[in-house]
Amino acid sequence: MSTIARRGIHCLQRLNSANVSAALLEKGQNRVIDASLTLIRERAKLKGELVRALGGAVATSSLLGVPLGHNSSFLQGPAFAPPRIREAIWCGSTNSTTEEGKDLKDSRVLTDVGDVPIQEIRDCGVDDKRLMSVIGESVKLVMEEAPLRPLVLGGDHSISFPVIRAVSEKLGGPVDVLHIDAHPDNYDAFEGNIYSHASSFARVMEGDYVRRLLQVGIRSITAEGRAQAKKFGVEQYEMRTFSRDRPFLENLKLGEGVKGVYISIDVDCLDPAFAPGVSHIEPGGLSFRDVLNILHNLQGDVVAGDVVELNPQRDTVDGMTAMVAAKLVREMAAKIAK
């Protein structure tokens, strides 16, 4: 376990060894959580007021960072990804216009409400069950400020569970999910951790949050992964059959009859030639243009999404994978905004 993963646990152990009462500890945790949610609430309110004052927006992408990495089974570097993605989005090496012609400098297309202070909350001894609730409440605070729609920057893939749950609960019904990844992330409890980044879609599918889950780009899957997919009725499209599946995947129509479409993109869906800066390198993946074709051609109302698993600690010296992740965010923001 890394220093980042241990820090919150060690803090709780020190408090327990000092015989700090549970009531006192909980009271302090509540104050920190309330302050964290207040910051997100007020930033979302300000950005929502700005967008509404400008007028003309039906849906606006709103970045929300969730710098969480301790549920990764290998490396915890994704905790450092949100600021690197933001830096790359606004890098002077490119302009602010997406491929489909939307200008990200227009606040009606893209705004930003900051990060959920994950490490500060964990340092108070808050456990993962409650932390997932805080992430979900943060998402709902963004959604309360119409026309803002959350576009979440991970972080490891464990964040998708509380985000999808919150989106479904806030909208009042299930969504369709397009999940692009090298891995199905559907273990029941990987290494005994029900909140592992390798178990996020098992948690999602246990609830009534999703009607259809399509997983694209899969090329590292075990017998349990296949059994879990069958159990939950997941539609899996593996890389070994991508050439055959391409026409279907590049013409997806999702979200009809439910509350919309959620898109989750793990950067390791890409072949490492395009994205070496990830924790789990899996050769034989999608090209960047493959992913963009699926995204651009998708028909459906995209109500929220996430881009996860960039690991800046494994990126190239010039931040190539951060630029790749930023481009995914830019194009997803344009897909959401209208």
Side-chain angles (χ1 to χ4, degrees), residues 211-232:
R211 179 184 64 177
R212 292 179 67 190
L213 171 59
L214 285 75
Q215 297 185 319
V216 180
I218 305 299
R219 58 192 185 278
S220 178
I221 183 170
T222 65
E224 182 179 351
R226 297 186 195 283
Q228 287 282 88
K230 183 177 181 180
K231 171 184 175 181
F232 293 121

Side-chain angles (χ1 to χ4, degrees), residues 2 4-5 66-73 75-79 118 155-156 158:
S2 74
I4 263 184
V66 183
L68 185 157
H70 66 274
N71 281 321
S72 176
S73 59
L75 301 173
Q76 282 75 44
I118 296 295
D156 69 45
S158 67

Side-chain angles (χ1 to χ4, degrees), residues 112-293:
D112 192 339
V113 300
D115 290 353
V116 180
I118 296 295
Q119 191 53 48
E120 290 80 0
I121 295 171
R122 292 192 72 235
D123 197 46
C124 300
V126 173
D127 64 20
D128 264 0
K129 181 178 181 180
R130 195 170 185 196
L131 184 62
M132 295 296 164
S133 294
V134 173
I135 293 168
E137 288 304 311
S138 300
V139 168
K140 290 179 181 179
L141 289 172
V142 174
M143 296 177 71
E144 284 178 4
E145 296 297 328
L148 303 189
R149 295 184 176 185
L151 177 46
V152 179
L153 309 179
D156 69 45
H157 221 150
S158 67
I159 70 167
S160 292
F161 162 54
V163 177
I164 293 172
R165 178 176 63 181
V167 169
S168 174
E169 289 177 347
K170 189 66 177 175
L171 294 176
V175 294
D176 286 342
V177 175
L178 174 60
H179 170 206
I180 309 179
D181 197 333
H183 315 89
D185 293 347
N186 63 0
Y187 286 97
D188 180 59
F190 190 71
E191 297 180 340
N193 180 9
I194 63 171
Y195 296 114
S196 170
H197 70 157
S199 299
S200 51
F201 285 91
R203 302 289 82 77
V204 167
M205 297 306 289
E206 285 171 345
D208 295 322
Y209 314 121
V210 174
R211 179 184 64 177
R212 292 179 67 190
L213 171 59
L214 285 75
Q215 297 185 319
V216 180
I218 305 299
R219 58 192 185 278
S220 178
I221 183 170
T222 65
E224 182 179 351
R226 297 186 195 283
Q228 287 282 88
K230 183 177 181 180
K231 171 184 175 181
F232 293 121
V234 178
E235 302 167 49
Q236 290 183 331
Y237 299 92
E238 299 184 36
M239 283 308 301
R240 61 193 179 91
T241 60
F242 181 71
S243 296
R244 182 190 68 200
D245 298 331
R246 181 195 295 271
F248 170 74
L249 295 173
E250 291 186 352
N251 291 280
L252 290 174
K253 190 172 184 179
L254 300 173
E256 286 189 347
V258 289
K259 297 298 182 178
V261 183
Y262 185 98
I263 302 174
S264 180
I265 301 180
D266 185 322
V267 178
D268 73 22
C269 71
L270 296 163
D271 190 271
F274 300 94
V278 296
S279 298
H280 298 269
I281 294 172
E282 290 289 346
L286 296 160
S287 75
F288 192 80
R289 186 52 55 183
D290 291 335
V291 176
L292 284 197
N293 286 345

Side-chain angles (χ1 to χ4, degrees), residues 26-93:
E26 184 178 5
K27 187 175 180 180
Q29 291 173 343
N30 289 342
R31 289 199 305 270
V32 172
I33 290 171
D34 288 346
S36 302
L37 293 174
T38 296
L39 180 60
I40 298 296
R41 178 186 297 108
E42 294 305 317
R43 286 181 61 99
K45 185 178 295 185
L46 174 62
K47 298 304 176 72
E49 290 171 346
L50 172 62
V51 172
R52 290 190 294 271
L54 290 171
V58 175
T60 298
S61 298
S62 181
L63 300 182
L64 174 66
V66 183
L68 185 157
H70 66 274
N71 281 321
S72 176
S73 59
F74 181 42
L75 301 173
Q76 282 75 44
F80 304 106
R84 300 286 77 81
I85 295 174
R86 286 188 177 93
E87 181 181 25
I89 288 172
W90 303 113
C91 177
S93 69

Side-chain angles (χ1 to χ4, degrees), residues 81-104:
R84 300 286 77 81
I85 295 174
R86 286 188 177 93
E87 181 181 25
I89 288 172
W90 303 113
C91 177
S93 69
T94 186
N95 60 55
S96 61
T97 304
T98 68
E99 290 196 6
E100 295 187 324
K102 293 180 181 176
D103 189 351
L104 299 179

